[in-house]
Amino acid sequence: LIAEDREARQQQIAQLEANINQERQRQMKLGEDFLADVELIWRQIDRDYPHQRFAPGRLADLRRGLELAKSNLQSGLSQAAISTGQKTYLDLADLRLELARKEQEWQLLYNAAITDVRSLIAEVQANRECEIEFGQGADADKFKLEIDYWTNGRLSQYEQQLNQLESRLKSGASTLTI
């Protein structure tokens, strides 16, 4: 009876150990799959979003979190790996939204700036001359004045500054920040 009881307990212990090992393997697989997904998101942000422009260093910080999670998983700490991976995933999702928002904001501001500069250039070019009228009615004399002459070349300087600004906006479009 004792031998049968011992054998039954050993079978139960073996079954429990098998269940524990199976659960441990399931958690490890879950952790591996989850971290692979987080890695994909990290790479997508690195490839498709201007993170260095709008959030310098943030993606590198999140990479450290991902590496820590992988290290935890390799050490057999699947629950710690999943927890760290989840935090990294949420931080990546926040970063992706922030980058998309900043990119839209930048596009809006850039388009407004380039439009305003072009509008000022057109206004300068349209107002190079000014017509002045002396007198009234039939006795009125009309004269055209060149604004640049009467401002000692400041209108041309202003136009040149605007053209330089437009050139800087065009050439620096890929590096300008908000």
Side-chain angles (χ1 to χ4, degrees), residues 115-126:
T115 300
D116 286 350
V117 166
R118 287 177 179 161
S119 173
L120 287 172
I121 291 170
E123 195 172 324
V124 164
Q125 291 170 347

Side-chain angles (χ1 to χ4, degrees), residues 156-167:
S156 292
Q157 288 174 350
Y158 182 58
E159 183 179 16
Q160 191 175 33
Q161 288 173 343
L162 291 172
N163 285 326
Q164 288 172 352
L165 182 57
E166 181 184 30
S167 293

Side-chain angles (χ1 to χ4, degrees), residues 6-64:
R6 179 179 290 158
E7 188 177 317
R9 287 181 193 267
Q10 287 175 343
Q11 286 178 354
Q12 287 175 345
I13 290 172
Q15 182 62 39
L16 284 173
E17 287 176 349
N19 287 347
I20 289 171
N21 284 336
Q22 188 178 21
E23 180 61 22
R24 200 174 280 147
Q25 288 175 357
R26 188 186 73 74
Q27 286 182 1
M28 291 296 283
K29 177 69 174 141
L30 182 67
E32 288 171 359
D33 291 347
F34 182 69
L35 290 181
D37 291 344
V38 174
E39 174 80 25
L40 279 172
I41 293 168
W42 188 93
R43 288 181 186 198
Q44 186 228 5
I45 291 172
D46 188 37
R47 182 187 65 234
D48 298 338
Y49 289 83
H51 59 91
Q52 287 297 359
R53 186 175 180 183
F54 297 121
R58 294 256 314 273
L59 192 61
D61 290 343
L62 294 175
R63 182 72 194 178
R64 287 192 296 269

Side-chain angles (χ1 to χ4, degrees), residues 165-177:
L165 182 57
E166 181 184 30
S167 293
R168 282 195 331 224
L169 285 171
K170 286 179 181 178
S171 66
S174 62
T175 58
L176 293 172
T177 62

